[in-house]
Amino acid sequence: MPTSVEYDLVEGVATITLSRPDAMNSLTAETKAELREAVERARDDTAVRAVVLTGSGRAFCAGQDLREHAANLEAGRGLAGTLEDHYEPIISALTGMPKPVIAAVNGVAAGAGFSFALACDLRIASEKASFATAFTKIGLAPDSGMSWTLQRLVGRATALELLLLAEPVRAAEALELGLVNRVVPPGELAAAAQDLAVRLAAGPTQAYGAVKAALEYAEATGLSGALAKEAELQKACVRTADHVSATKAFLQKEQPVFEGR
Ligand code: T3D
């Protein structure tokens, strides 16, 4: 059966590839349903210890398929429930993934496509990548978590500029702004993302999940709340086999082997 989202699992790394290259990997209801299924599958599979999200062809993702959206408007369906049924669960699964998620941004990331990249933990961009908030260009406000993620990465003033002017940001500028972690030549992107993901997949998965949970919690609380959450998470980490064996390995001057449990 034809699919617009591919899913591969190699060396503990699930790679999810948006695969509608002729439509710049823009998002139809079908694509979003498949993407939701893929990210939830990666989240729930304990054999998956890191995730890569990327696109096929020249785009990462051009956001909502505006042809489908225009048809929904024409038919009086408005947003047709897509924020609740698709965008919100996809963003929640990406941000709440208890293991690292890398966006390998191969080309343009616009609208919700940009939001998806922002919802990942790390972003590696091709020199050919660019980022456009796009929403206000068509009279919309940000969705798919961009109001939350963007200003946390670049600060409120820059987030406002990117959202109000909606000008495209090229990869080099994205690196300067802190929107991406690194920029690589186009031919090196897939290998760079896979190498980093394999490295993370061989790491202490439970501790990585706790890092994400701690940062998310601390962002919305004061120091005393953050300290309490750290204590809760550290107690859970202390009980993991990875912590016990890595501590022994350190004392024996050996390299730790993490099993993700
Ligand atoms: O349900 C809801 O709608 C609510 C949720 C909304 C979430 C959102 O994501 S809203 C934002 C939607 N996305 C956009 O507004 C981006 C629109 N696209 C662009 O601004 C530009 O196309 C890009 C910056 C992405 C790329 O520019 P460029 O110059 O590299 O390519 P292009 O020539 O503009 O586009 C190439 C083709 O892709 C073209 O089709 P054609 O003329 O070759 O037949 C263009 O229409 C098509 N395309 C690009 N983006 C979309 C699209 N077709 C449908 N939907 C798209 N989003």
Side-chain angles (χ1 to χ4, degrees):
M1 212 162 91
T3 172
S4 53
V5 176
E6 289 161 17
Y7 186 97
D8 293 299
L9 175 54
V10 177
E11 293 186 81
V13 176
T15 299
I16 299 171
T17 307
L18 291 163
S19 191
R20 289 184 78 223
D22 295 345
M24 302 197 84
N25 300 321
S26 60
L27 301 156
T28 60
E30 187 186 9
T31 306
K32 288 176 281 188
E34 287 180 22
L35 180 59
R36 177 180 175 175
E37 196 182 316
V39 292
E40 290 180 347
R41 177 176 166 190
R43 179 195 63 196
D44 297 339
D45 184 351
T46 53
V48 174
R49 292 173 63 193
V51 180
V52 173
L53 178 65
T54 193
S56 62
R58 79 176 180 96
F60 175 73
C61 172
Q64 172 65 36
D65 184 312
L66 293 178
R67 289 187 178 83
E68 183 187 76
H69 179 62
N72 281 335
L73 293 181
E74 186 74 19
R77 287 191 291 267
L79 294 170
T82 195
L83 297 187
E84 297 80 4
D85 294 343
H86 303 120
Y87 288 114
E88 290 171 17
I90 291 167
I91 295 301
S92 295
L94 287 171
T95 55
M97 186 88 63
K99 40 204 147 192
V101 190
I102 299 166
V105 186
N106 51 302
V108 61
F114 188 3
S115 300
F116 290 169
L118 292 171
C120 296
D121 301 317
L122 300 171
R123 282 154 292 283
I124 305 181
S126 153
E127 286 165 352
K128 284 190 175 166
S130 61
F131 300 83
T133 59
F135 293 102
T136 57
K137 291 266 190 199
I138 53 167
L140 290 180
D143 64 24
S144 308
M146 191 183 283
S147 62
W148 196 90
T149 51
L150 184 61
Q151 63 175 322
R152 280 169 172 77
L153 271 180
V154 299
R156 187 170 172 158
T158 303
L160 274 167
E161 184 180 339
L162 294 177
L163 284 161
L164 294 177
L165 302 182
E167 299 296 347
V169 174
R170 300 174 79 87
E173 190 191 346
L175 185 62
E176 275 174 29
L177 288 175
L179 273 175
V180 300
N181 301 88
R182 62 177 86 150
V183 176
V184 298
E188 294 175 19
L189 179 69
Q194 183 68 13
D195 287 353
L196 183 58
V198 166
R199 176 177 153 190
L200 289 165
T205 311
Q206 304 293 322
Y208 290 155
V211 167
K212 293 178 66 169
L215 290 187
E216 177 160 356
Y217 191 88
E219 213 148 35
T221 189
L223 178 60
S224 60
L227 287 168
K229 185 71 176 174
E230 285 176 359
E232 173 199 320
L233 291 164
Q234 199 69 300
K235 282 174 191 160
C237 287
V238 159
R239 290 194 295 270
T240 63
D242 279 345
H243 168 64
V244 174
S245 67
T247 305
K248 278 188 196 149
F250 174 80
L251 294 173
Q252 290 163 3
K253 302 195 185 303
E254 291 171 356
Q255 282 302 311
V257 177
F258 294 110
E259 294 177 355
R261 59 188 179 86

